[in-house]
Amino acid sequence: MDGTHLPRSFDRARSSNHTIGAEYDGEGTNFALFSDHAERVELVLFDDSGTHQTFSADLPDMAGGIWHGYLRGVGPGTRYGYRVHGPWAPEEGHRFNPAKLLLDPNAREISGDLIWDDALFGYVIGQDDLTRDARDSAPFMPKSVVSDPTFDWEADRALCHPWEQTVIYEAHLRGLTMLHPDVPEAARGTFSGLGSDAVIAHLKDLGVTTVELLPVHAFVQDRHLLQKGLRNYWGYNTLSFFAPHAAYLRTGQVREMKAAIKRLHAAGIEVILDVVYNHTAEGNEQGPTLSFRGIDNASYYMLMPERRYCYDPTGTGNGLDLAHPMVMRMVLDSLRYWVQAMHVDGFRFDLASTLGRGPTGFDQRAAFFATVLQDPVLSRVKLIAEPWDIGTGGYQLGGFPWPFREWNDKCRDDLRKFWRGDQGMVPRLSQRLAGSPVQFDHSHRPATSSVNFIAAHDGFTLWDLLSYDAPRNAANGEDGADGHGANYSDSMGVEGETDDADLTARRLRRAKAMLATLVLSQGVPMVQAGDEFGRSQDGNNNAYCQDNDISWLHWDRMRHELVAALRDLLAFRAGAGESLAHPRFGRDDDEGRPKLRWLHPRGEGMSEADWQDEALHLLGLELDHPQRGRILMLFNAAGDAEFALPAGDWQHVIDTAADPVSCDATFAGTLFLPRQSVQVLLSRL
């Protein structure tokens, strides 16, 4: 905005508190900010570089704690921020400091990087947090940007793939394309790269229906990581719940994200965002003052009875207070914005137990869940919970209300243990194959409540599960003390990569068997990006700070046999629209009769003694499918064996010990089962 068109005063007749944020209407912009305890709110405008202040004035009106004002002639691209005036009384929870320029929590775009400096802190670094710091933080702060809402979506709309047909591909936006040879170099690591022909072609070929992106909300690079030469790669350090991370926009404009989503939708692929509404980048009371803390610390954050201190159920220092109606409104406005304005198809909620915390702990009837369930927009999109946090009673697998689905870490751990050869895992395997009914078969919840996975961003990759007995996290600079300790991995005798062709072949065979077990289980399968071609992180199971080739996908190292195996497995699961997934855990829809039959290698039903046989490492599952007939699945985690088939002729369609895994042969009587493999057979009888 050049100096010749600077606003002179607010147009109070057009000012509105109906929508919070900066809303451009074609003639000017309405600015609105919630702060219940502020004494006045000062709007500051900057030039296009974000370095020189061009305008400053108090928002003229306030109602219900929403301060607002309308400026004619101010439009898209305008850089702005707030200085909020109020009491400095940390013991009462108030940390107002007008020396600190604050980001608009509802900004749709953000420009510039956060430059770490002690002036970003509301108190004097080196003293306690009670002494107010008077230095101006504006030179070190990114700026909020008035966004242009126009975009030609044409006929684009949410895809709403049925859960029974959903296959999730968890990916990091940047890491997915940074090393992709067929993505233009300038587009790598951005939404332009995500929407490229090369990425979409791979996802379509694989059979993926839904991409789940690690956080793309604007986030902060942690000071302590930068000091160690590292970066916050995963992005679970949210600064803004409405603006995409600026580094992911090659053009710097939000329309680039819209264009990528539009292209993915045209290819039939949904987009889910991993979102972090449990805490923010400001940390605890000793953290910086960047936005929420300076706007109204006592409203936005959960505080201890001693109001000076933050309540911390997440391990990150602070927690958003969703019990406050205006904080709840901000979160819901954010979710609806991503669905309605950005055409996102759903969300995965990080540490979602925090969102259900009330005065007595986790409550599945908490206000957040109840509000989402009755919301006409949000109740229709995909909702996935990470069903835990670190607070007391935080582990809540199976405890979330419909229509939430949940990450199933029991499935992750049991599949790893079964294929590693642990004793007594056959009963546990049967639970996971059936959709984990102990956890989910209640309260009218379907089997698709379970999001099944073997590996995700937090932990070993699939290939590293088969290559390392213990994490190799030295590169994280924490003396190897970070990351999961219970990985249930197995190097098969040699740590790391090897030139031993036989060992590599054994790892590949087990990887295919594990992927087959995931795909054939009831529930919703989720595959971590790169696991389809044997991606390694060199044994790092906590690569949150590795924005480099440790975490990036090496497309030139693709194991094509593994890619082809997953493609064929997913095609079999989809079955020309007749998915294997069953909403009622394999029970008959009308009479509740079992449609799953568990078989011993003798060909007989499993007896109680068989279930108690800890040395058994082979299990058969016969599924009566309404369209495909009888489907027999055999899971052999031991050596070569034989299985007595049920009566009749059986068409052999999947053999994970072979390349390709798809096959077509007819058997009757006894079937030879190669070691460490999954077999699938069909019968119309």
Side-chain angles (χ1 to χ4, degrees):
M1 182 176 64
D2 71 54
T4 62
H5 294 91
L6 291 180
R8 298 300 178 188
S9 63
F10 289 98
D11 184 343
R12 301 184 70 171
R14 300 190 64 169
S15 180
S16 170
N17 63 1
H18 293 162
T19 303
I20 301 175
E23 295 289 328
Y24 175 65
D25 64 5
E27 297 180 8
T29 299
N30 189 78
F31 295 89
L33 182 77
F34 168 74
S35 179
D36 200 29
H37 297 99
E39 295 168 353
R40 60 189 179 95
V41 173
E42 180 184 355
L43 172 67
V44 184
L45 305 185
F46 294 85
D47 66 3
D48 290 346
S49 70
T51 58
H52 300 293
Q53 180 176 311
T54 60
F55 174 85
S56 175
D58 288 352
L59 294 178
D61 296 303
M62 188 273 285
I66 301 174
W67 303 76
H68 56 99
Y70 182 93
L71 289 175
R72 288 183 177 275
V74 171
T78 301
R79 273 68 171 163
Y80 70 100
Y82 291 107
R83 299 185 187 276
V84 181
H85 301 254
W88 175 262
E91 296 96 332
E92 300 172 20
H94 300 310
R95 295 179 179 272
F96 294 98
N97 187 341
K100 310 306 168 185
L101 186 78
L102 306 173
L103 279 173
D104 180 358
N106 292 61
R108 274 42 169 181
E109 290 180 15
I110 292 176
S111 175
D113 296 322
L114 182 81
I115 303 171
W116 279 105
D117 188 271
D118 287 354
L120 293 169
F121 293 76
Y123 66 97
V124 178
I125 293 287
Q127 300 183 30
D128 60 36
D129 61 303
L130 301 178
T131 305
R132 184 159 64 173
D133 184 287
R135 288 173 291 182
D136 183 10
S137 67
F140 312 104
M141 281 289 296
K143 307 302 186 291
S144 307
V145 180
V146 178
S147 178
D148 184 352
T150 60
F151 183 78
D152 185 5
W153 283 104
E154 297 178 298
D156 183 80
R157 57 181 177 80
L159 296 179
C160 299
H161 292 315
W163 279 106
E164 291 83 2
Q165 297 173 11
T166 297
V167 177
I168 299 173
Y169 187 83
E170 190 207 27
H172 189 285
L173 176 79
R174 179 169 165 83
L176 183 66
T177 60
M178 283 300 293
L179 300 177
H180 200 305
D182 297 326
V183 173
E185 188 170 352
R188 295 176 188 174
T190 70
F191 277 102
S192 293
L194 174 69
S196 66
D197 291 341
V199 170
I200 290 175
H202 177 73
L203 298 176
K204 287 285 291 180
D205 178 67
L206 202 58
V208 166
T209 69
T210 308
V211 172
E212 180 180 305
L213 296 175
L214 267 68
V216 299
H217 288 173
F219 61 89
V220 169
Q221 292 295 335
D222 307 69
R223 193 177 200 179
H224 73 278
L225 290 178
L226 294 176
Q227 290 170 344
K228 293 192 293 186
L230 301 171
R231 294 177 62 81
N232 186 319
Y233 176 63
W234 288 350
Y236 292 94
N237 202 22
T238 306
L239 180 62
S240 171
F241 296 115
F242 289 80
H245 191 55
Y248 296 162
L249 300 172
R250 180 180 65 169
T251 62
Q253 297 181 339
V254 71
R255 63 175 54 250
E256 179 183 331
M257 181 176 178
K258 294 179 179 179
I261 293 172
K262 181 178 176 181
R263 295 206 75 216
L264 286 161
H265 280 181
I269 299 171
E270 297 175 309
V271 178
I272 289 177
L273 301 186
D274 192 337
V275 289
V276 190
Y277 293 108
N278 54 74
H279 74 283
T280 78
E282 290 182 309
N284 66 17
E285 64 278 351
Q286 295 183 328
T289 296
L290 310 174
S291 183
F292 312 92
R293 174 161 292 127
I295 295 170
D296 194 344
N297 183 68
S299 292
Y300 282 99
Y301 291 126
M302 291 188 284
L303 302 179
M304 299 291 286
E306 295 180 75
R307 305 285 287 171
R308 174 180 173 184
Y309 304 106
C310 289
Y311 177 63
D312 180 20
T314 64
T316 54
N318 61 353
L320 277 180
D321 186 6
L322 269 68
H324 193 294
M326 293 302 293
V327 179
M328 174 75 79
R329 173 178 169 177
M330 178 190 70
V331 171
L332 295 172
D333 283 351
S334 169
L335 292 168
R336 282 190 289 259
Y337 170 75
W338 292 105
V339 173
Q340 294 177 306
M342 302 297 292
H343 287 208
V344 161
D345 300 279
F347 306 93
R348 179 264 190 189
F349 295 89
D350 178 65
L351 300 181
S353 293
T354 299
L355 305 178
R357 284 197 173 274
T360 60
F362 179 84
D363 181 2
Q364 67 172 215
R365 296 183 179 180
F368 174 75
F369 301 137
T371 305
V372 168
L373 298 189
Q374 59 80 40
D375 188 281
V377 174
L378 301 180
S379 61
R380 299 181 181 182
V381 301
K382 287 184 164 66
L383 304 170
I384 302 172
E386 182 184 36
W388 50 78
D389 63 19
I390 69 166
T392 302
Y395 186 78
Q396 290 292 330
L397 180 66
F400 283 74
W402 182 92
F404 280 85
R405 271 60 180 178
E406 302 176 36
W407 272 25
N408 189 345
D409 61 327
K410 291 188 181 297
C411 178
R412 174 197 67 193
D413 294 348
D414 289 346
L415 265 55
R416 293 180 180 188
K417 292 177 186 178
F418 175 79
W419 287 106
R420 189 174 67 170
D422 288 18
Q423 296 288 306
M425 289 306 299
V426 162
R428 307 279 295 185
L429 176 68
S430 70
Q431 282 287 303
R432 306 314 153 212
L433 292 172
S436 299
V438 170
Q439 285 72 38
F440 297 109
D441 191 8
H442 60 82
S443 307
H444 308 293
R445 298 189 72 183
T448 51
S449 296
S450 178
V451 176
N452 301 324
F453 62 105
I454 300 167
H457 68 274
D458 188 3
F460 276 136
T461 67
L462 172 61
W463 194 258
D464 284 352
L465 280 172
L466 314 176
S467 306
Y468 294 91
D469 292 321
R472 301 292 182 90
N473 294 353
N476 296 350
E478 299 180 39
D479 298 322
D482 61 304
H484 284 302
N487 296 286
Y488 311 113
S489 59
D490 178 16
S491 70
M492 302 189 186
V494 176
E495 288 277 308
E497 289 300 313
T498 177
D499 295 329
D500 185 331
D502 179 65
L503 176 56
T504 299
R506 288 193 289 123
R507 288 175 175 170
L508 182 60
R509 176 176 289 200
R510 186 179 294 183
K512 291 196 294 181
M514 294 177 78
L515 287 172
T517 311
L518 173 69
V519 170
L520 296 173
S521 296
Q522 295 298 310
V524 179
M526 182 183 80
V527 178
Q528 180 185 200
D531 280 353
E532 75 273 24
F533 55 73
R535 165 180 169 250
S536 172
Q537 291 182 161
D538 301 329
N540 193 319
N541 80 336
N542 189 34
Y544 75 101
C545 56
Q546 300 298 331
D547 187 3
N548 50 49
D549 63 1
I550 290 177
S551 297
W552 300 343
L553 273 62
H554 290 262
W555 295 86
D556 60 339
R557 302 176 189 173
M558 183 180 292
R559 301 178 192 277
H560 294 280
E561 181 179 341
L562 194 56
V563 176
L566 182 57
R567 181 182 62 232
D568 289 355
L569 289 165
L570 291 176
F572 174 76
R573 178 184 173 91
E578 300 170 358
S579 173
L580 287 182
H582 190 282
R584 298 193 63 190
F585 303 89
R587 294 195 308 271
D588 183 88
D589 287 340
D590 298 322
E591 301 178 22
R593 294 189 303 249
K595 296 175 74 70
L596 301 180
R597 183 181 177 216
W598 304 104
L599 300 177
H600 190 274
R602 298 185 301 267
E604 305 169 351
M606 291 282 287
S607 68
E608 184 61 32
D610 294 331
W611 287 116
Q612 300 302 319
D613 182 0
E614 293 196 351
L616 184 64
H617 297 280
L618 196 165
L619 179 66
L621 166 58
E622 186 178 357
L623 170 66
D624 184 7
H625 192 279
Q627 285 82 36
R628 301 196 205 183
R630 297 159 68 197
I631 305 174
L632 180 61
M633 310 173 193
L634 309 176
F635 304 88
N636 179 21
D640 294 345
E642 291 188 340
F643 197 100
L645 299 174
D649 293 334
W650 290 87
Q651 179 189 6
H652 194 194
V653 294
I654 297 289
D655 177 3
T656 64
D659 180 27
V661 300
S662 294
C663 53
D664 186 6
T666 301
F667 289 91
T670 301
L671 181 69
F672 172 75
L673 302 185
R675 57 185 171 82
Q676 293 267 294
S677 71
V678 174
Q679 312 293 320
V680 181
L681 302 96
L682 304 178
S683 173
R684 285 292 180 182
L685 295 179

